[in-house]
Amino acid sequence: MELNQIGVTPRKEAQFKKRGIESVEDLLRCYPKEYRDYRVPVSVRTLKDRQDERAAVLGIVTGCRILQGKHAMVRLKDKDGGNISAVWFNQAFRVRQVVLGGSYIVGGMARWDEQYQSVSFLMPDLFESFEGFRFGIKPVYRKIPGMSEEYFSSVMEEALSHIDDMGDYLNDEECKALDVPNTADTFRLAHLPESMEDVRRAQRRVLVDNMYPFCREMEMKRMQAAAESPFVPLAAFETRTKRASSKRRCMSCGLCSCGSSPRRGATATCR
């Protein structure tokens, strides 16, 4: 499926192609470079003793402003009265996207400010309205020049709605034997994980996908070499040797059960 079939414009399509992403399947195989766990929101006060840790905080916007004409700062307060500051450098437009009094989730590297008794998030990687938000594990992708994270996420979301249309070179029995999910489930687990176990299962399937062509090529070469080899395969050689040995014993003493007539004078000690 082509990228324009899921609403990607020619300009954005060119940006994707610079990263080697030319189809919806290529996009789905553009797996996250890391995952950030925001499943459990925390209180601002708990971050005082957890310097430089990633965390998610739920707060209500109490104010916002533009700094030096180009930076955006949003102030929030959590349910326990803790103060939160979210700052974006060179992204003044963020101020226009915030609703005063609205509830938002802020996530990222938290830094405690002792002077103001507040926590700051510089360039947070999570800032979303609480309405309809689902706490979870956030996948982080490699940056594509000229493309915002929001746009990439929206395109990925649209691509994920087509995962059931993707084929799989492994059937259900083979997936079960290898203990890996099918292709559709792999995309779902990799891009929409509900736990780190989901991530590990997806990574296992990706490993199989990477190794499968190599293993298949090696097996094909082995079979071709065996077919072209002038030497008799070991198994066949052993079978022929056993038959020849059995035949010699029959002709010598007639002690086997093949039905051959024993030679005159043969004894049980004959070999």
Side-chain angles (χ1 to χ4, degrees), residues 132-263:
F133 179 79
R134 180 176 64 87
F135 285 97
I137 297 174
K138 179 180 174 61
V140 180
Y141 301 89
R142 296 189 183 282
K143 178 72 175 175
I144 295 180
M147 186 178 297
S148 68
E149 180 182 338
E150 289 79 4
Y151 182 83
F152 182 91
S153 297
S154 66
V155 175
M156 180 63 77
E157 183 178 352
E158 180 61 30
L160 286 168
S161 67
H162 298 278
I163 58 178
D164 292 326
D165 300 332
M166 302 295 169
D168 195 337
Y169 64 89
L170 295 177
N171 58 39
D172 292 342
E173 188 175 327
E174 290 171 327
C175 287
K176 184 177 180 180
L178 292 170
D179 190 25
V180 295
N182 59 36
T183 297
D185 286 342
T186 299
F187 291 147
R188 188 178 295 107
L189 296 173
H191 299 292
L192 299 172
E194 295 184 358
S195 66
M196 292 310 296
E197 179 59 30
D198 287 350
V199 174
R200 284 187 283 272
R201 291 196 65 215
Q203 290 173 335
R204 179 178 174 85
R205 174 58 197 262
V206 173
L207 178 62
V208 170
D209 289 341
N210 291 337
M211 294 297 297
Y212 184 84
F214 172 75
C215 293
R216 186 174 185 278
E217 182 180 359
M218 292 296 293
E219 179 64 14
M220 294 296 291
K221 288 183 176 180
R222 187 194 68 78
M223 293 174 63
Q224 182 180 1
E228 297 175 352
S229 175
F231 299 98
V232 178
L234 180 60
F237 176 78
E238 291 177 345
T239 301
R240 293 180 187 178
T241 302
K242 289 179 180 178
R243 288 178 180 175
S245 176
S246 176
K247 187 175 181 180
R248 284 195 297 271
R249 286 198 298 272
C250 293
M251 293 176 65
S252 299
C253 61
L255 294 178
C256 74
S257 59
C258 69
S260 299
S261 299
R263 282 175 40 184

Side-chain angles (χ1 to χ4, degrees), residues 105-124:
I105 303 297
V106 186
M109 190 68 75
R111 295 183 179 177
W112 177 258
D113 189 320
E114 187 66 32
Q115 180 180 355
Y116 296 100
Q117 292 291 296
S118 66
V119 65
S120 299
F121 291 92
L122 302 182
M123 298 297 290

Side-chain angles (χ1 to χ4, degrees), residues 48-68:
K48 183 175 181 179
D49 301 321
R50 295 166 56 186
Q51 288 286 348
D52 297 328
E53 285 190 19
R54 293 196 179 278
V57 180
L58 169 61
I60 297 176
V61 175
T62 59
C64 53
R65 61 189 177 124
I66 297 177
L67 305 174
Q68 300 178 2

